[in-house]
Amino acid sequence: MLSACAVWALSAEAALAQTNFKMDAQPAPEGIRQFARQAGVQILVQSDAAQGKRTAPVRGSLPIDRALQQLLTGTGLTVVSNDGKTIILAPPRSGLIRTGWATTAAGVTPPAPEPAPPEPDTPSVIEEVIVTGTRSTSRTVTESMAPIDVISAAELTKSGKQSTRDLISTLVPSANTSNSGAGASFAIKTVSLRGLSADQTLVLVNGKRRHNTAILFVNGTTQNGQSPPDLDLIPSASIERIEVLRDGASAQYGSDALAGVINVILKKSPEGGSMTALYGKTAEGDGETGQFSGNFGMQLGQEGYLNLTADIRITDPTDRGDKTLNTTQMYFPLNALGQPVRVGTAGATLDPREATANRHTSHPGSPQVQLFSLGYSAGSPLGDKVDLYSFGTFSSRNTAAWLTFRNPNASNNITAIFPDGYTPRLFLKDRDFQVAFGAKGTEFLGFNWDLSTTFSRDDVDYYTSSLNASLGPASPTYFYLGTLKFQEWTSNLDLTREVDTGAFADPLFVAVGAEYRDDKFEIVAGEPASYINGGYVAPASSPQAGVVFAGGSQGVTGFPPFSAGAFSRDNISAYLNVEQKVTEKLELALAGRFEHYSDFGNAKTFKLSSRYAILPGLAIRGTASTGFRAPSLQQQHYASSSTIGVIVPPATTTQLYPVQLLPPDNPAAIALGAKPLRPEKSVNYSVGLVAQPISRMNVTLDVYQIKIDNRILQSGTLGPNTAVSTALASQGLNPQQAAFYYGNFADTKTRGIDFVVDYRTDFGDFGNVHWTFSANHTKNKFTRVVQPPAALAAAGIVYIDRVKIGDLTVGTPKEKYILGADWTLKKFNTNLRLTRYGEVIQRTALAANDETVSPKLIVDLDLSYAVSDNVSVSVGANNLLDAYPDSVRAANRGTPAFAYYNQYAPYGISGGFYYVRMAAKF
C-alpha cells in the first residue's frame, strides 16, 4: 500500500523559498518522507529505487532545491519530473527529458520548452513508514518482520462505524468484538486479536501505553474478567492512522502484548481541518444516532503545531425484546374475596390483569450512550536539537441500559412500590483522560532520545433505578452504587542510534530504554441502601409472608465497605532492541526486556525476528518470542454482587439468582480454593510469506502458535451448594448466593493463520478500485485445566466448566473472511465490504441445550459523492441486509424470558444500521 508523503505541490518559484531543515543521515525512504514533510512538498519515487540507500544530513535554512540536492547526495536519485504539482525522483536514465526544475550545482534550471516526457515506469509514492513492532524510523509495512495492518484516516471516514473498535474488528481479519454483556459489562465492548482476550492486546497512543478502563468486564460472554483499554474514548477524528501488530511484543513493549499491539497515531497537521456530521438509525427505527466531529490544525510559532479535535455522539438504545415475551404468571393469584394470596394456593384464580399485562418486559440490545470527547496533539522545537511535544484525550460518557424484569409476584419485588413489577436500569458515568508530555532530540552521547511521561485516569460512577426489597415499602428506587477509579502514571526514556560496526554494509540499529509505571485502583463504597439487608418481614396477611428478601439493590448491588479500598503497585523495566541487515537479503532483530513488579516480582521476555528476501518481490519472515501479562489490579481486588441467569438445581432452565464475585484474597474465596494470582506467560511462534507477485499487489500469509501458561480466567459459577453457602456465611455474606472468582485456572494453545491480499486496479475512464481480501482461521485449545482439591470436588465445585471451556474454544468464530472493494470514479466513491463470520457455539451447563450461531454474511456499503473539492455527502449501511443471529431456544431464554437473539454473535443483535453523512475539509 502506498500513500502520499505530503499534500502540497512545489512550483519553480517555491523552489527558491528558504526553509529551515533539521535532518540527519538516515535510510532513504524515511529521509525522503521527512524532507517532504519539512519542505511541504509531494514527492514520488519508485520503492525499489529508494530501498537500500541513505540520504545525507540537511541542516539550516536553505532553498528547497539546494536542500534536495544535498539530501540526495550519494543516493543516485535525481529529479526527473516536476509538473508544478508533484516531484518525481528516479535513477538517471538515458533519453529521459527533465521538466520543471532540476537540481544542479548552479541551483535551479528554468523550465525546459520540450514537450511533456514519457512517464517513468509506474513511479510509486513512498510506502507508509511504520513505528509499531520496531524502534527504527525507516521500516515499512512490507519490510516488517511481523504482520502489521495499517488503517488510514481515509478508511476511518469511509464507514458508518461509530467507534474505532468496531472499525478495527471490521478491517483486521483476526480481530473480533464482543457485543454482549450483563450488568456493568454492557458499557464496554472489547476487541481481541488472534482468538485471545482483549486485555492480552496492548494499546498505545503515539507509541505510549494507553491506560485500562476501571470497569471489570464481569457478566459478559466470551470476554469475562478483563479491564482492557477503551478505544471508544479516543475521538476518531483525531486519528491519523492505526497500526495493528499481529504478533507477540512483550519484549518490546511490556505487559499485555501477548496477542499483539494496537498503536493509535494522532494527527499532527499544523493547518487545515475537517468536520463530519452523521445521522442514522436501525431498520427497526430505533438506535437513532447523531454524531458530530471536528478537527482543526494551527501553527504554534513558526515551526510548531497544535491539532485539536472534538467529537460528540448521542445514541438511543435498541430494543430486541419484542419477540421475547414474558409468558410466566406475573401477578399473585386471588382468593374468593379478591385478595392476593401465595402462588399455588388451592382454589385461587388468576388476577384479571394477567390478560392485559404488558408481556414485552425484556429489552436486550445496545445501550443508550452520550459521549463527548476532546483530543489534542502539539509540538514545537526548542532550539535546533530538541523538540517538545504533548498529546491527550478527555472524555465524558453517560451510558444507560435495561437489566432483567422482575415480575410483580417475584420475591425481589415490593408490590406497594411496583404493583406491575419493574425493570432495573443501570447508569454509568465515565470520566476519562490521558495526557502525555515529552521531549526528543539528537546527539545525546551519539543517540537520538525521547523522554516522556504520561498520566491517565478513568473514573466510573455507578447508579441504578431499582429496588432493595429487604427495605420493604421504605426502599428508595434510585441508588448510588459506588465508583471505580483506575489511575496510571508511566514515564519512559528511549534511546536509538545506528552503529557502524564495519562488519556489515549497513550499520547496526540499537534501541535501549527504561520505563517506570505506577498503577492505582480504587473502589468507593456505594450508599448504604444499595448494599444493606434491611431485614424487612412481610406481614402475615401478605402473599409474601415468610419470604427471605435479598439485601442490596436488584440487578447490580452497591459496592459494600468490605470490597472498598485503594490498591496500588509499581514496576520498573528496561529493554534492549537491536536490528541488523546482515546481507542484502537477510535481516535479523533481537529484543529483550526485564521488568520488576512490586507485587509479584520479576519477568523476563525475549524476541527474535528475521526476514529473508528469497527473490525480488518474495520474502519469508518469522518471529519467536516469550511474553507475559501481569494480573490487573481489578482482577486482584474487585468484588461485586449482581443478579444474573443461573441454573439452580433441580431446575434445568436459567433463572435470576444473586451471584457474588470474590477477590482471590478474600477468605471465602480461599475456602473455595483461591490462590494469589500469578502473571500469564506465553511462547509465540509465527512464520510468514510476503509477496508482490504483480505490480500494485501485496500478499501476506502468516501462520502462528501462542501457548499461554497460568491463564487468568473467571471461574464458572460456583454453586449454589452447601460448600459455597458455608464459605459466604463465614464472612458475613448472604449464603443464598452463587459465587465466582479469578484464578490461574488453565494453560491454553492457540493456532491460526492470517491471509491478506491488497490490489489496486486502474480502469481508466471507469475509475480505479482498491481490492482487499483477508481471511483468518484460529483454533483455541485447553492443554491443562486446574482441578479443585478432592474435598471441594466432592462438594460439587468445578473451576472451569463446559461453559467456560466453550467460551474460549468455540464461543467466537474460528473463521472470518473479509472482501472489500473501494471504487473511485471521478466524484463518486463506493466502498463495499463483505464479511463472513464462521459458526459460533454457545455451550450451556446442559449439553442438550447448547446453542449454535450459524455462519453469516454481513454486508457494509458506503456511497459518497464529492459535491466540491472540500465537501462530500454519503449514504450507507452497516449490515445492509439487516442480518440477525439465530434465536435462542426457549430453555435458554431465562425465567422470565430475557433473551431471544443469541448475543454470542460477533456482529450484535441490533440488525442493520443506515446513515447519511456529510464531510467537509478546509
Side-chain angles (χ1 to χ4, degrees):
M1 291 185 292
L2 304 173
S3 60
C5 295
V7 295
W8 297 280
L10 179 70
S11 64
E13 293 80 6
L16 296 173
Q18 296 278 332
T19 302
N20 188 32
F21 293 94
K22 296 189 299 181
M23 298 181 56
D24 296 318
Q26 55 192 299
E30 174 60 10
I32 296 172
R33 166 177 281 276
Q34 186 178 350
F35 182 91
R37 192 162 52 243
Q38 292 188 14
V41 300
Q42 178 168 282
I43 301 178
L44 306 182
V45 66
Q46 293 176 320
S47 296
D48 292 343
Q51 300 305 321
K53 297 179 174 62
R54 294 178 61 78
T55 53
V58 182
R59 287 194 170 271
S61 181
L62 298 169
I64 293 177
D65 70 308
R66 187 75 56 82
L68 184 58
Q69 178 188 6
Q70 185 173 327
L71 178 84
L72 300 178
T73 301
T75 64
L77 298 173
T78 60
V79 176
V80 297
S81 177
N82 170 40
D83 61 1
K85 296 181 179 180
T86 302
I87 304 169
I88 297 178
L89 304 179
R93 294 173 51 187
S94 59
L96 184 64
I97 303 174
R98 302 184 183 185
T99 64
W101 57 271
T103 55
T104 67
V108 178
T109 299
E114 290 89 345
E119 292 289 334
D121 295 337
T122 317
S124 300
V125 184
I126 289 290
E127 191 177 354
E128 189 72 40
V129 176
I130 57 169
V131 296
T132 309
T134 176
R135 301 285 176 176
S136 172
T137 59
S138 61
R139 193 172 293 280
T140 63
V141 171
T142 55
E143 294 174 335
S144 173
M145 301 185 202
I148 291 182
D149 301 291
V150 177
I151 302 173
S152 67
E155 289 172 298
L156 291 171
T157 59
K158 291 181 180 180
S159 168
K161 305 294 183 184
Q162 287 114 57
S163 74
T164 303
R165 174 208 64 239
D166 287 341
L167 188 64
I168 292 174
S169 180
T170 300
L171 296 177
V172 177
S174 62
N176 280 301
T177 295
S178 175
N179 281 283
S180 65
S185 302
F186 74 83
I188 304 294
K189 294 182 180 180
T190 63
V191 61
S192 58
L193 295 178
R194 290 190 162 180
L196 300 186
S197 301
D199 58 3
Q200 291 167 333
T201 297
L202 177 64
V203 175
L204 307 174
V205 177
N206 286 347
K208 311 301 180 184
R209 178 181 286 267
R210 178 75 176 183
H211 62 285
N212 293 351
T213 177
I215 297 173
L216 188 69
F217 201 80
V218 178
N219 298 321
T221 52
T222 59
Q223 296 291 330
N224 279 327
Q226 301 163 40
S227 298
D230 192 342
L231 289 168
D232 284 358
L233 300 183
I234 303 173
S236 58
S238 69
I239 299 173
E240 177 67 31
R241 69 181 188 276
I242 301 170
E243 297 179 358
V244 181
L245 171 65
R246 293 177 276 118
D247 192 44
S250 291
Q252 295 160 295
Y253 298 105
S255 177
D256 302 346
L258 275 65
V261 176
I262 297 174
N263 191 6
V264 179
I265 311 298
L266 302 181
K267 294 177 180 177
K268 302 180 180 66
S269 173
E271 61 182 28
S274 63
M275 291 189 299
T276 303
L278 178 145
Y279 173 80
K281 60 175 63 177
T282 68
E284 295 291 326
D286 57 6
E288 189 173 12
T289 297
Q291 184 171 12
F292 174 82
S293 61
N295 175 263
F296 176 71
M298 66 177 72
Q299 278 196 314
L300 288 180
Q302 292 187 347
E303 299 181 60
Y305 65 90
L306 174 62
N307 194 277
L308 301 172
T309 301
D311 188 270
I312 300 172
R313 174 162 57 95
I314 299 176
T315 300
D316 286 340
T318 61
D319 184 351
R320 296 297 173 268
D322 56 327
K323 295 183 179 181
T324 315
L325 299 181
N326 186 349
T327 59
T328 64
Q329 181 179 328
M330 296 177 63
Y331 295 93
F332 289 105
L334 304 178
N335 61 18
L337 300 176
Q339 299 167 329
V341 293
R342 190 183 299 273
V343 174
T345 300
T349 59
L350 291 179
D351 189 310
R353 289 177 295 176
E354 295 283 356
T356 59
N358 177 15
R359 300 285 172 175
H360 180 186
T361 60
S362 176
H363 307 283
S366 300
Q368 180 179 4
V369 179
Q370 295 177 344
L371 175 62
F372 304 88
S373 56
L374 300 173
Y376 81 92
S377 183
S380 181
L382 182 65
D384 291 335
K385 297 182 180 180
V386 177
D387 290 317
L388 303 179
Y389 64 88
S390 179
F391 61 86
T393 61
F394 306 84
S395 299
S396 173
R397 179 177 59 194
N398 297 333
T399 321
W402 297 103
L403 304 181
T404 307
F405 183 74
R406 272 63 171 168
N407 276 353
N409 62 12
S411 61
N412 43 29
N413 180 43
I414 301 296
T415 54
I417 300 177
F418 293 115
D420 297 312
Y422 65 100
T423 302
R425 202 172 188 209
L426 184 63
F427 305 90
L428 299 184
K429 296 183 179 180
D430 199 335
R431 306 295 181 260
D432 181 280
F433 74 89
Q434 177 184 29
V435 178
F437 297 94
K440 57 185 177 181
T442 60
E443 300 181 17
F444 175 72
L445 302 178
F447 285 88
N448 296 328
W449 58 272
D450 186 338
L451 177 64
S452 66
T453 188
T454 305
F455 184 79
S456 54
R457 181 164 174 151
D458 183 47
D459 291 1
V460 185
D461 298 328
Y462 287 59
Y463 299 87
T464 186
S465 58
S466 181
L467 176 71
N468 184 343
S470 73
L471 295 176
S475 172
T477 57
Y478 189 81
F479 304 86
Y480 164 63
L481 304 178
T483 299
L484 297 181
K485 301 179 180 181
F486 182 74
Q487 175 180 301
E488 187 168 84
W489 192 353
T490 306
S491 298
N492 297 86
L493 173 62
D494 301 295
L495 305 173
T496 61
R497 68 171 296 178
E498 292 184 337
V499 180
D500 190 354
T501 63
F504 304 99
D506 287 348
L508 173 71
F509 177 81
V510 179
V512 62
E515 178 180 279
Y516 174 79
R517 188 165 77 251
D518 181 75
D519 292 342
K520 290 183 171 63
F521 174 59
E522 183 178 0
I523 303 175
V524 179
E527 63 176 291
S530 71
Y531 59 79
I532 63 172
N533 190 319
Y536 171 73
V537 177
S541 60
S542 167
Q544 293 176 307
V547 172
V548 178
F549 292 97
S553 52
Q554 279 294 304
V556 177
T557 301
F559 298 111
F562 93 85
S563 67
F567 315 95
S568 64
R569 73 164 173 225
D570 60 78
N571 86 302
I572 56 173
S573 62
Y575 73 87
L576 174 66
N577 184 189
V578 295
E579 299 180 20
Q580 177 66 66
K581 189 171 185 179
V582 180
T583 68
E584 286 300 315
K585 294 185 175 183
L586 176 64
E587 293 181 82
L588 297 174
L590 178 65
R593 191 180 190 93
F594 169 83
E595 301 222 13
H596 173 75
Y597 281 78
S598 59
D599 54 353
F600 66 78
N602 300 334
K604 300 176 183 177
T605 52
F606 303 92
K607 183 172 183 177
L608 174 65
S609 307
S610 62
R611 184 180 187 276
Y612 183 76
I614 303 172
L615 297 168
L618 178 64
I620 186 172
R621 63 189 178 192
T623 66
S625 65
T626 60
F628 80 102
R629 192 191 75 82
S632 69
L633 289 174
Q634 290 90 322
Q635 289 173 327
Q636 291 176 304
H637 302 290
Y638 182 84
S640 69
S641 180
S642 56
T643 305
I644 62 174
V646 175
I647 293 180
V648 182
T652 58
T653 58
T654 301
Q655 59 183 288
L656 291 177
Y657 197 79
V659 176
Q660 179 73 51
L661 172 61
L662 299 166
D665 59 355
N666 184 279
I670 294 173
L672 297 173
K675 297 179 180 179
L677 294 180
R678 293 170 289 160
E680 300 173 331
K681 296 185 178 181
S682 69
V683 178
N684 296 42
Y685 300 100
S686 76
V687 177
L689 287 173
V690 181
Q692 295 173 306
I694 60 176
S695 177
R696 299 188 296 273
M697 175 181 283
N698 295 313
V699 181
T700 63
L701 177 68
D702 293 277
V703 180
Y704 54 89
Q705 174 179 286
I706 308 169
K707 295 180 66 177
I708 303 177
D709 292 339
N710 303 321
R711 189 155 180 178
I712 299 172
L713 299 172
Q714 180 177 300
S715 72
T717 303
L718 308 179
N721 58 36
T722 302
V724 174
S725 296
T726 301
L728 293 173
S730 70
Q731 300 305 306
L733 299 173
N734 176 18
Q736 303 302 315
Q737 296 185 91
F740 47 79
Y741 63 88
Y742 297 104
N744 299 98
F745 286 128
D747 299 341
T748 63
K749 180 190 293 183
T750 301
R751 287 179 172 173
I753 182 170
D754 284 333
F755 179 68
V756 180
V757 179
D758 179 283
Y759 183 52
R760 297 175 186 269
T761 53
D762 187 346
F763 295 108
D765 292 340
F766 296 98
N768 58 77
V769 181
H770 180 196
W771 305 91
T772 56
F773 175 75
S774 58
N776 169 262
H777 176 86
T778 298
K779 182 178 182 180
N780 283 308
K781 177 182 179 182
F782 281 83
T783 57
R784 180 181 70 95
V785 176
V786 174
Q787 301 299 324
L792 291 176
I797 299 298
V798 178
Y799 293 145
I800 301 299
D801 54 23
R802 71 182 311 270
V803 175
K804 291 299 178 185
I805 291 176
D807 286 349
L808 219 66
T809 56
V810 294
T812 56
K814 290 184 179 180
E815 299 89 20
K816 180 180 176 183
Y817 306 94
I818 307 170
L819 175 63
D822 188 356
W823 177 28
T824 300
L825 176 62
K826 297 181 180 179
K827 294 186 176 184
F828 293 91
N829 178 265
T830 301
N831 190 17
L832 175 67
R833 186 178 299 109
L834 310 177
T835 305
R836 184 187 186 275
Y837 294 95
E839 181 182 76
V840 174
I841 297 176
Q842 177 191 356
R843 286 190 181 170
T844 65
L846 300 175
N849 290 340
D850 285 357
E851 302 280 358
T852 298
V853 180
S854 304
K856 189 75 68 174
L857 180 68
I858 303 299
V859 180
D860 297 333
L861 178 65
D862 185 273
L863 305 173
S864 178
Y865 175 74
V867 179
S868 68
D869 290 342
N870 297 321
V871 178
S872 65
V873 293
S874 307
V875 295
N878 298 331
N879 191 355
L880 176 69
L881 304 181
D882 196 30
Y884 282 89
D886 301 69
S887 61
V888 177
R889 65 182 68 191
N892 294 328
R893 293 180 187 173
T895 306
F898 52 82
Y900 182 81
Y901 293 112
N902 196 304
Q903 297 193 36
Y904 273 63
Y907 44 87
I909 65 169
S910 294
F913 177 79
Y914 307 89
Y915 62 88
V916 294
R917 183 181 64 245
M918 183 180 74
K921 58 184 179 180
F922 50 88

